[in-house]
Amino acid sequence: MNKDIDEGKAKQVKGKVREEAGKAADDTSMEMDGAAEQVLGKIQEEWGKAKGTSKKHWTTNSRNLSV
């Protein structure tokens, strides 16, 4: 697992906590900030997955190249 995946998942959890705290406090701004942080975390996680996939693909296919 790479750093982006881990950080993205952590950001999603933090955002969910903030969103729920906003709901409990009836603070729409905090709730929306938490929801936005969750989205950013998901984007970061997916970016990490894409980087891992492309690196794996490159490593696998570069062995087949002949110069």
Side-chain angles (χ1 to χ4, degrees):
M1 225 181 250
N2 71 37
K3 185 174 118 177
D4 286 314
I5 294 172
D6 293 338
E7 288 178 3
K9 286 182 178 184
K11 198 174 285 187
Q12 289 176 67
V13 171
K14 185 178 170 187
K16 184 65 175 174
V17 169
R18 183 177 286 168
E19 180 182 17
E20 293 302 320
K23 286 179 183 178
D26 198 29
D27 184 343
T28 306
S29 179
M30 182 188 289
E31 191 176 339
M32 296 301 291
D33 287 346
E37 190 166 14
Q38 288 179 70
V39 171
L40 292 174
K42 186 64 178 173
I43 291 168
Q44 186 172 5
E45 179 186 0
E46 293 302 318
W47 171 252
K49 289 178 183 177
K51 281 191 338 186
T53 301
S54 65
K55 184 176 183 178
K56 182 179 176 183
H57 179 73
W58 173 254
T59 303
T60 302
N61 291 325
S62 65
R63 292 183 199 137
N64 298 329
L65 296 176
S66 59
V67 179

